[in-house]
Amino acid sequence: MEYLGALIVGVIIVGALITASFGPNIAAAYDRAICTITSMAPGGEGGCEGRGDPADFAGPDFVPNSCTVATSGSKEKVDVSIAIVDAGGSHGVQIAEVKNADGTTSYRVAQTGEGNLGLGVGIGGKGEGKDTPKAKLSGDLKLKGSYSGGPTYSVDSLEEAQRIQNQLMSNPFADVGHEPISETTTWGGEFEGSLDLGIGFGKKDGDKGGDSGGDNPTDTPDVGFNGALTGGHQYSTTTNEDGSTVYTTSWSGEIKGGGKVPDAADASGSWKGTTSIVIKRDANGQLVEVQFKTASKAGSNLKVGGKELAAAGNQNHDTVTTSTLKVTNANRATVENWMGDPSDNYMGFKPLQTMLWDPTKPGTDPVINMLYNEAQISQVTMNNLEDSYSVGGEVKWGLKLGAKYTYTDSEGNIVDAQYAGAPENGRRPWHNMDVCFQ
């Protein structure tokens, strides 16, 4: 009881802090301390573990404890086209090598099978003349729905991971001798559109030279522009062996473009990116973690005059930025209010709203500030290489008839990895992520 008296004097001194912005954390610790001291006396209550969650007043851990350092995968895909109907499917197995802060390395083997069905329409037109420019326009629009699913296994050696990969590629239903640590089901949709516009400047009769106009205009335009937009939207559910469930809402897109002008080299380029929000609930259905992830691949195939430019950006590099926020009793109300319906695990268009967030800076949105103050933030760049071959054919008898088989091997290795440290002067400074290179 003497210790209790001393504690009361201390409380008078720091009482104002309990009502400050971090008051709930101190209050929880104070409540546990009072319980611990009083339980020492005869007839004390005991059982103080329920007096405040330690995670509610522990300082945030900004250093990630694991890192994916290498990936490899194989995928086979079959596509069939009949008239405007496209159908297909794919089967793949991916290996990820993960290094942990405790010095151990594990390997995740993920299998997925996908089926899809879509419809497509095309538009086109062309006009030409002797004294006026000629032009052509064509375009396509395709819509496709897809379903995929498969298990993930965890093993301790690369050799065992490769054995499982080879076995599953030969027989997707093989017994690999391991129980899966998770099962994933994904529903999605894809859209694809393209536009090709060309303009040729014809020459009058009697003019010499040039490759267009006159009596023999060609189909090759003097000036041409083309572009394509491909997008996808997916929602997946992953059930883990510990009873927890992970829900992922993602959007992906790819933009391609090119141009041709007289007496100049042709140019083309592309940008591709994916953004997603991941929600994790424990076995009791309580929200325990929210993750924001953005992946981008830029400048990977910018070409001028048919030659690829090394200075066009990070060639074949994928950069993934991940912000992981632990949900506790202290911040749960704010997170659930931001989600809208806390019982709904589908995030709709919210991933698109967050893809331009910079979690290393404070902002006006309360969740951005929460990421800035509490989240683990990492940025990992991998060099990805892909080899593929395809066999296919297409016959046109007024309708589009064809089939195509594609086999792809991919490999990725880490190039750079950083994490955002504790806030300093309005920023989260970047530090080397040592766990990736130990």
Side-chain angles (χ1 to χ4, degrees):
M1 297 307 294
E2 293 177 355
Y3 287 109
L4 178 59
L7 179 61
I8 292 175
V9 174
V11 169
I12 295 175
I13 298 175
V14 299
L17 296 178
I18 297 179
T19 58
S21 59
F22 45 90
N25 295 340
I26 297 178
Y30 166 78
D31 185 45
R32 288 170 55 84
I34 287 288
C35 175
T36 301
I37 293 175
T38 56
S39 65
M40 295 178 182
E45 296 178 0
C48 302
E49 295 307 316
R51 303 297 188 90
D53 184 354
D56 287 344
F57 55 86
D61 182 5
F62 297 117
V63 185
N65 58 11
S66 64
C67 178
T68 300
V69 297
T71 61
S72 66
S74 296
K75 180 179 180 181
E76 46 190 13
K77 181 179 181 182
V78 179
D79 293 300
V80 179
S81 299
I82 303 175
I84 61 173
V85 178
D86 291 318
S90 66
H91 167 235
V93 183
Q94 182 84 13
I95 296 176
E97 180 181 0
V98 180
K99 286 192 173 181
N100 305 302
D102 60 5
T104 61
T105 302
S106 59
Y107 298 86
R108 298 293 177 93
V109 186
Q111 180 188 22
T112 181
E114 179 178 347
N116 55 66
L117 178 66
L119 299 175
V121 295
I123 59 173
K126 181 169 67 173
E128 57 187 55
K130 289 184 178 181
D131 301 323
T132 59
K134 62 178 182 178
K136 67 175 183 178
L137 171 68
S138 63
D140 290 284
L141 175 63
K142 296 180 181 179
L143 301 175
K144 183 182 293 185
S146 63
Y147 165 85
S148 64
T152 297
Y153 305 91
S154 179
V155 296
D156 297 327
S157 69
L158 178 59
E159 292 75 14
E160 178 66 5
Q162 291 173 335
R163 181 194 69 78
I164 296 175
Q165 181 185 44
N166 294 333
Q167 189 175 359
L168 291 176
M169 286 300 298
S170 301
N171 178 11
F173 306 102
D175 181 1
V176 300
H178 295 271
E179 290 296 324
I181 61 171
S182 64
E183 291 274 355
T184 300
T185 301
T186 302
W187 294 91
E190 300 176 14
F191 56 87
E192 180 179 342
S194 64
L195 181 67
D196 189 357
L197 172 64
I199 301 176
F201 299 94
K203 301 183 185 301
K204 296 180 180 181
D205 290 339
D207 286 353
K208 297 181 179 180
D211 62 353
S212 62
D215 294 326
N216 299 297
T218 70
D219 289 334
T220 303
D222 295 316
V223 179
F225 302 97
N226 62 81
L229 172 65
T230 302
H233 178 48
Q234 293 184 329
Y235 176 66
S236 68
T237 303
T238 300
T239 304
N240 299 316
E241 59 182 351
D242 62 359
S244 63
T245 309
V246 177
Y247 306 89
T248 304
T249 304
S250 64
W251 290 87
S252 60
E254 181 174 7
I255 300 174
K256 295 181 179 180
K260 176 183 179 181
V261 295
D263 302 321
D266 298 344
S268 63
S270 70
W271 178 90
K272 185 176 182 179
T274 301
T275 181
S276 61
I277 295 179
V278 183
I279 295 172
K280 183 176 181 180
R281 297 185 182 273
D282 62 17
N284 297 319
Q286 181 170 258
L287 182 66
V288 294
E289 184 178 290
V290 177
Q291 189 177 84
F292 303 83
K293 181 177 292 187
T294 301
S296 63
K297 180 188 291 183
S300 60
N301 68 339
L302 180 59
K303 296 181 180 181
V304 176
K307 296 182 179 180
E308 193 160 346
L309 296 183
N314 293 326
Q315 182 180 6
N316 293 327
H317 284 186
D318 289 348
T319 299
V320 181
T321 303
T322 305
S323 303
T324 303
L325 177 67
K326 299 294 183 183
V327 179
T328 66
N329 292 335
N331 63 18
R332 180 170 285 106
T334 301
V335 175
E336 291 183 341
N337 182 65
W338 180 85
M339 290 171 56
D341 183 354
S343 63
D344 188 1
N345 302 303
Y346 173 67
M347 289 291 97
F349 289 96
K350 282 190 178 294
L352 295 176
Q353 299 171 11
T354 64
M355 67 181 300
L356 298 178
W357 278 7
D358 183 355
T360 64
K361 298 179 181 179
T364 57
D365 190 290
V367 176
I368 293 181
N369 286 330
M370 202 171 292
L371 296 177
Y372 172 75
N373 287 297
E374 303 176 31
Q376 281 189 349
I377 306 171
S378 65
Q379 186 168 278
V380 177
T381 300
M382 300 193 77
N383 180 29
N384 288 295
L385 305 175
E386 184 174 289
D387 294 318
S388 65
Y389 68 86
S390 62
V391 178
E394 187 173 290
V395 179
K396 293 185 178 179
W397 296 325
L399 295 176
K400 179 181 179 183
L401 304 172
K404 183 178 181 181
Y405 169 81
T406 304
Y407 184 88
T408 303
D409 277 330
S410 61
E411 180 181 350
N413 296 286
I414 195 165
V415 176
D416 185 45
Q418 297 177 309
Y419 75 92
E424 296 179 9
N425 301 320
R427 292 296 300 267
R428 292 276 300 272
W430 293 104
H431 304 282
N432 289 331
M433 211 155 112
D434 295 333
V435 66
C436 299
F437 304 102
Q438 61 185 10

